Amino acid sequence: VFANDTLPAGACFVPRIIKKDDKTLRCYFASEAPGRRQAQTWYIDFDIERLAFDNRIQRAKLKTAAGTFDMQPQYFHADAEAQGLRRASKDFGLYLFDSFKVFEGKTYVALNNYAGGQNALAVVNDSLDTFEVLGHYNDPPDLKLTESAVNRLPDGTWLAICRQEGGNANYTFTTSQDGRRWTPNQHRACVPNGSPSKPTFDRFGGLYYLGWQERTKIAGVGRSVFNVEVSADGINWERKYRFETEKSFQYPTFREHQGTIYLTVTQGDSDPSRKERIMFGKLE
């Protein structure tokens, strides 16, 4: 219960944080109850000086070609369906996925619905409360693609890497000249044997860092190998890091601060999902 609203019963899932200004962090999260209602993305602000959350929550908005709506899966699906998507609509699973990246003064984020197999590039307004869908990249239709990471190459081309589900899955790549119209996803030789899991795609010190989960298992453990390739142009890649562990190494996030690259990563060694804890550290 908050001062202005009450969250309905359900799970709070997939948080994301952005620095709104020098005094405020904004935290987004999805509230969902599959099969009972449409999920909704909310946000709440955190006061850095007081080290306390505001006692108010707000509904994030989604802007599509049809208008501006509460940020719910049904509107994300309808926009993709209008552009040819033929997958069933889900009432949960819409998340801010690859976030947040700034190009030419604008803040971008990749949107994802894992359950529905949907991916799109969106831009955030200056108030950081509305996410405008620029373009969807879900082709070819016979592949279920999710959890993408996106970046912009030196010549202005957008490049996204997508997780692929089902069969002998591997990561796929798609490009766009304007962020709105995207090429059909294809496999690339730089990622030869990927496994279904979240990729990363960052740029630090003039180099692109492309992270992906390898299908190889250490001591029979799934998601135990994670590779990071680097490139100056986003075309030619070479291996920079290879993480191997029997405790799993999955869903990392990399951030640069004052010249040092820090990371968080999910690890585990007892639960079947091997997701018991989140580790924090830094690269060399």
Side-chain angles (χ1 to χ4, degrees), residues 175-251:
T175 62
S176 173
Q177 297 303 309
D178 57 7
R180 299 179 183 277
R181 293 169 291 276
W182 293 78
T183 61
N185 278 268
Q186 296 179 328
H187 300 104
R188 289 192 176 184
C190 60
V191 180
N193 60 335
S195 178
S197 191
K198 174 184 176 294
T200 63
F201 193 11
D202 302 291
R203 194 182 190 194
F204 304 122
L207 287 178
Y208 292 95
Y209 284 60
L210 179 68
W212 56 282
Q213 203 87 53
E214 189 175 314
R215 189 177 299 122
T216 304
K217 297 181 179 181
I218 304 299
V221 174
R223 291 181 173 175
S224 57
V225 178
F226 192 90
N227 297 316
V228 177
E229 320 290 332
V230 296
S231 172
D233 57 11
I235 300 173
N236 302 291
W237 298 91
E238 63 180 33
R239 180 67 46 82
K240 176 69 173 179
Y241 297 102
R242 178 181 176 87
F243 298 96
E244 297 183 2
T245 172
E246 295 181 14
K247 297 181 179 181
S248 81
F249 189 107
Q250 53 185 313
Y251 280 71

Side-chain angles (χ1 to χ4, degrees), residues 92-105:
F92 69 103
L94 172 56
Y95 310 125
L96 307 178
F97 223 77
D98 193 30
S99 57
F100 294 90
K101 293 174 179 174
V102 178
F103 302 99
E104 298 176 350

Side-chain angles (χ1 to χ4, degrees), residues 95-163:
Y95 310 125
L96 307 178
F97 223 77
D98 193 30
S99 57
F100 294 90
K101 293 174 179 174
V102 178
F103 302 99
E104 298 176 350
K106 295 183 178 181
T107 302
Y108 295 84
V109 58
L111 300 180
N112 171 241
N113 187 311
Y114 176 80
Q118 294 177 244
N119 306 274
L121 178 68
V123 63
V124 190
N125 67 350
D126 292 340
S127 298
L128 300 179
D129 58 14
T130 302
F131 296 84
E132 179 183 357
V133 177
L134 297 178
H136 299 265
Y137 43 94
N138 303 308
D139 289 331
D142 58 317
L143 298 182
K144 182 181 179 181
L145 305 172
T146 67
E147 296 189 344
S148 70
V150 65
N151 218 309
R152 200 171 181 183
L153 302 185
D155 66 357
T157 300
W158 292 94
L159 175 63
I161 176 175
C162 300
R163 167 182 175 173

